[in-house]
Amino acid sequence: MFIDLLRKRRSIRSFDQRQIEVEKIELLTEALLRAPASKGRHPWEFVLVTDPEIMSLLSSAKAKGGAFLAQAPLSIVICADPAISDVWIEDCAVAATFIQLAAEDLGLGSCWSQIRRRQHQSGTPATTVLRHILQLPDNLEVASIVGIGYPVASIAAHPHNALPMHKIHKNVYQGQ
Ligand SMILES: Cc1cc2nc3c(=O)[nH]c(=O)nc-3n(C[C@H](O)[C@H](O)[C@H](O)COP(=O)(O)O)c2cc1C
């Protein structure tokens, strides 16, 4: 059941060096393109990176929280053209979620690296750094990068009793 997939999903930042099979990359690509987007406008563009040299540059595009990408056999850079949709950020987030859940379903691990509103260690926006590395056109903004690969080790699921049930409100908001 789909809930079982959600129950075991964790962010994976350590990957073994086994390459991801071409068939699985094709399925991941399909999952990206099946993500819903507001008004069906599909403002996104996805750059699939497998080149280790480019991967290394991706891992340092922002000052903190992206180092794990250096070891990922596959990274998906999620970009969009804000002129196509005023809700491109949401559209990109949905696509990132789809790819992470598809990866989990295929026995792969993944983690999100936030790019929008993040800076390189020089203070330059991480998007500007990535625009240069990936030869992105000026109309594209980068939302995030999802690193994917076979996990070195599994991470324990969040137990049911650790879920923040107080975030759920019935009919009207109920104070803490
Ligand atoms: C919008 C968003 C941005 C995130 N950015 C990063 C990031 O830049 N680097 C990172 O290592 N993890 C990042 N994560 C992963 C979270 O840190 C992780 O989902 C959270 O700590 C919960 O852990 P879990 O996914 O294992 O349940 C991000 C997750 C989301 C949803």
Side-chain angles (χ1 to χ4, degrees):
M1 265 169 57
F2 186 66
I3 191 74
D4 295 323
L5 192 73
L6 302 182
R7 282 180 177 149
K8 69 184 172 83
R9 184 215 59 81
R10 292 298 310 269
S11 291
I12 297 293
R13 300 178 179 82
S14 297
F15 306 104
D16 78 26
Q17 287 316 293
R18 183 173 153 201
Q19 290 304 304
I20 303 173
E21 297 82 348
V22 174
E23 303 74 35
K24 288 196 177 181
I25 295 182
E26 279 170 9
L27 291 169
L28 292 170
T29 306
E30 181 179 343
L32 282 171
L33 298 176
R34 288 191 181 281
S38 175
K39 300 180 181 170
R41 286 198 174 145
H42 304 160
W44 21 247
E45 303 277 343
F46 306 107
V47 184
L48 274 62
V49 176
T50 53
D51 181 311
E53 276 180 36
I54 301 178
M55 204 70 83
S56 166
L57 296 171
L58 297 188
S59 72
S60 56
K62 67 167 179 166
K64 285 186 270 181
F68 72 90
L69 293 172
Q71 304 307 321
L74 172 67
S75 279
I76 296 175
V77 184
I78 302 179
C79 318
D81 181 348
I84 295 177
S85 175
D86 59 345
V87 291
W88 64 274
I89 297 168
E90 290 85 346
D91 290 339
C92 287
V94 171
T97 305
F98 264 47
I99 196 72
Q100 288 206 266
L101 294 176
E104 185 76 33
D105 192 41
L106 293 169
L108 298 160
S110 72
C111 188
W112 180 315
S113 175
Q114 180 67 21
I115 296 299
R116 193 183 68 84
R117 298 180 66 95
R118 298 291 179 262
Q119 283 81 37
H120 181 258
Q121 58 185 11
S122 64
T124 306
T127 293
T128 306
V129 173
L130 288 164
R131 210 173 263 138
H132 179 70
I133 296 168
L134 300 169
Q135 301 168 28
L136 301 174
D138 287 346
N139 60 314
L140 291 186
E141 295 293 331
V142 184
S144 63
I145 304 175
V146 177
I148 304 176
Y150 284 98
V152 165
S154 60
I155 298 181
H158 296 295
H160 194 271
N161 64 9
L163 298 179
M165 297 304 289
H166 61 282
K167 301 282 187 188
I168 305 294
H169 307 272
K170 292 181 181 158
N171 293 317
V172 295
Y173 182 87
Q174 291 133 350
Q176 308 297 312

